[in-house]
Amino acid sequence: MGRLFGTDGVRGLANGDLTPELAMSVAIAAARELADPQSSHPPVVVVGRDPRASGEMLEAAVVAGLASAGATVVRVGVVPTPAVSYLTGEVRADFGVMVSASHNPMPDNGIKLFAAGGVKLSDEVEDAVSARVGEVWERPTGARVGRVHDLLDGAEHYLKHLAAAVTHPLDGLTVVVDCANGAASDVAPEAYRAAGATVIPIFAEPDGFNINDECGATHLDALRAAVVEHGADLGLAHDGDADRCLAVTSAGDVVDGDQIMAILALALRDAGALVEDTLVATVMSNLGLRNAMRETGINLVETKVGDRYLLEALNKHGYSIGGEQSGHIVLPAYAPTGDGLLTGLLLMARVAATGRTLAELASVVMKLPQQLVNVKADRSAAGHPDVLAAVDAATAELGTTGRVLLRPSGTEPLVRVMVEAPSADLAEGIALRIADVVRSV
């Protein structure tokens, strides 16, 4: 059996890979590993979910598992993942559980765990939880069995938290918000209206089956068209659990996570709040972001792909902002994990405060054409001498005008070849050339 936890929780086909039995076992293991053994009180656990149909089944299994382990469960219903993170800290819970598969299609689902304070678990703690799955244990009985309570105003607490983070009123801005028929379908429009914006929501009618279905942060065409149709100032797109945010200009052009990070990093610097004038990004961020940060005097720290590595760098050094191209952006002064609604609010606040359009602000990043080729091959092929020689030759050819990134997949027998170059044709040609070498070894 491979590692139970992936890059963001336990995830798989609901009722196929991720069964109610597995969900219950993970919940029990988490309660036994994450509860404070010295506490005289039962552990308190916040549980939320996104609106996909299988979430009802899996939430019931998680809640049953937690109660069977003696935990007091605070059930908050359908809320964004960052709301569960926030509420875990707000109610001083021992940990939190979010039932969601984020941007994945409806048939999938997942279980995300947050430690006390709403922070994500380290690899070591995840492995410790995994080791307890299926372990023989003594079940509590009688008065030691856990109880279940519903926190009916959890979303309202989260909205107040978001409102406190708004740095400038959004009066005069019109925004189209794609809610991905997901967990933010109610709270995202409400949060943006409360800050002063005129809000036009789309894909905000979840029925359990339509989450992420040709909408949201991974499908931007409908949002782009709606922004132009309504003459809006900008558009925002969230994924199914709203830990991501991508944007669209008034002309319908996409503003990705790299550009959003640059805008927010400059806003923080101007406010004197960018710690050590540093932005944290993964190796997949576009060279254009690196160039823009260098030209504006901001340092850029690179991490491996995955928000856990961003969080490690942010927490270790106390940096102010980090993120990914996908729109998963972390601002530790406001939240311990990525929050798409927070990102959207701060992005619009920068537009309102400067009086500049989103397109003008995003133009600080001149993105280079990027070509990604996934090659079916043993992951060890990435270290073969012939492959390394091909990468060195391409790197020398590009000089300072581009770059090559070779990355074995962490979950599949794939080697990912990513090339950035001054032109799309050159990027594609070099990527395909290296891919052929990978296949041949």
Side-chain angles (χ1 to χ4, degrees):
M1 176 180 173
R3 191 171 187 271
L4 178 62
F5 286 84
T7 55
D8 197 10
V10 180
R11 198 174 294 188
L13 178 65
N15 218 26
D17 306 310
L18 181 55
T19 62
E21 292 84 355
L22 177 57
M24 182 178 289
S25 295
V26 169
I28 292 168
R32 298 183 63 231
E33 179 63 31
L34 300 177
D36 181 0
Q38 306 301 319
S39 175
S40 60
H41 303 286
V44 175
V45 187
V46 172
V47 178
R49 64 179 178 89
D50 73 24
R52 67 189 77 211
S54 62
E56 300 162 1
M57 168 187 73
L58 294 172
E59 177 196 54
V62 165
V63 169
L66 293 170
S68 78
T72 298
V73 180
V74 180
R75 189 166 48 192
V76 296
V78 175
V79 294
T81 288
V84 170
S85 169
Y86 169 72
L87 292 168
T88 298
E90 177 72 3
V91 306
R92 298 184 179 180
D94 290 76
F95 65 98
V97 182
M98 178 68 181
V99 179
S100 174
S102 191
H103 60 280
N104 283 30
M106 182 278 294
D108 290 346
N109 217 321
I111 298 172
K112 300 182 180 184
L113 299 179
F114 295 94
V119 301
K120 289 196 173 182
L121 306 187
S122 67
D123 287 350
E124 293 75 21
V125 176
E126 284 184 345
D127 289 342
V129 172
S130 297
R132 288 184 177 269
V133 172
E135 192 175 60
V136 176
W137 63 297
E138 183 180 348
R139 294 176 178 272
T141 58
R144 293 166 55 226
V145 171
R147 303 297 300 275
V148 181
H149 307 276
D150 290 317
L151 183 64
L152 300 179
D153 60 350
E156 284 72 18
H157 284 273
Y158 172 60
L159 284 166
K160 288 179 182 177
H161 157 68
L162 291 175
V166 178
T167 55
H168 195 282
L170 309 183
D171 300 349
L173 287 182
T174 298
V175 59
V176 179
V177 183
D178 183 342
C179 301
N181 291 317
S185 293
D186 290 331
V187 295
E190 189 170 345
Y192 299 143
R193 287 192 187 105
T198 298
V199 181
I200 302 167
I202 62 174
F203 300 109
E205 298 180 359
D207 61 9
F209 306 103
N210 58 4
I211 188 169
N212 298 322
D213 186 9
E214 296 300 318
C215 58
T218 54
H219 300 87
L220 294 172
D221 286 349
L223 176 62
R224 296 173 66 190
V227 169
V228 173
E229 176 188 348
H230 291 284
D233 295 288
L234 73 159
L236 299 175
H238 300 299
D239 58 339
D241 70 337
D243 62 356
R244 296 185 185 190
C245 178
L246 293 179
V248 170
T249 70
S250 61
D253 296 323
V254 174
V255 176
D256 71 6
D258 285 346
Q259 294 162 299
I260 294 172
M261 279 191 283
I263 294 168
L264 296 184
L266 288 167
L268 287 168
R269 189 196 63 182
D270 291 352
L274 186 64
V275 172
E276 295 186 21
D277 284 342
T278 295
L279 167 68
V280 182
T282 76
V283 294
M284 291 300 290
S285 280
N286 194 275
L287 183 59
L289 175 63
R290 290 160 175 78
N291 294 340
M293 294 298 92
R294 183 178 63 252
E295 291 167 6
T296 54
I298 293 176
N299 307 312
L300 192 142
V301 172
E302 281 189 357
T303 73
K304 293 189 288 186
V305 175
D307 67 336
R308 69 180 62 241
Y309 303 112
L310 287 167
L311 290 166
E312 285 175 7
L314 289 166
N315 295 334
K316 181 177 179 180
H317 301 285
Y319 296 138
S320 309
I321 180 172
E324 301 175 279
Q325 276 182 322
S326 63
H328 188 275
I329 295 170
V330 183
L331 295 134
Y334 300 96
T337 188
D339 188 330
L341 276 66
L342 174 65
T343 299
L345 285 166
L346 296 182
L347 181 65
M348 287 194 288
R350 182 63 169 174
V351 171
T354 61
R356 302 173 67 192
T357 67
L358 178 60
E360 289 174 318
L361 293 172
S363 67
V364 68
V365 177
M366 300 296 293
K367 294 178 62 179
L368 272 70
Q370 190 179 78
Q371 180 70 43
L372 177 65
V373 179
N374 292 320
V375 186
K376 288 188 177 181
D378 190 281
R379 294 193 287 271
S380 64
H384 192 280
D386 291 351
V387 174
L388 296 177
V391 170
D392 288 344
T395 300
E397 178 182 347
L398 289 168
T400 60
T401 66
R403 67 181 182 124
V404 178
L405 178 65
L406 200 69
R407 188 171 66 89
S409 168
T411 57
E412 303 172 84
L414 294 174
V415 174
R416 307 190 195 280
V417 181
M418 192 274 284
V419 177
E420 290 170 347
S423 72
D425 288 344
L426 182 57
E428 181 181 17
I430 292 175
L432 293 175
R433 192 170 74 213
I434 296 172
D436 287 342
V437 179
V438 174
R439 292 188 189 96
S440 70
V441 300

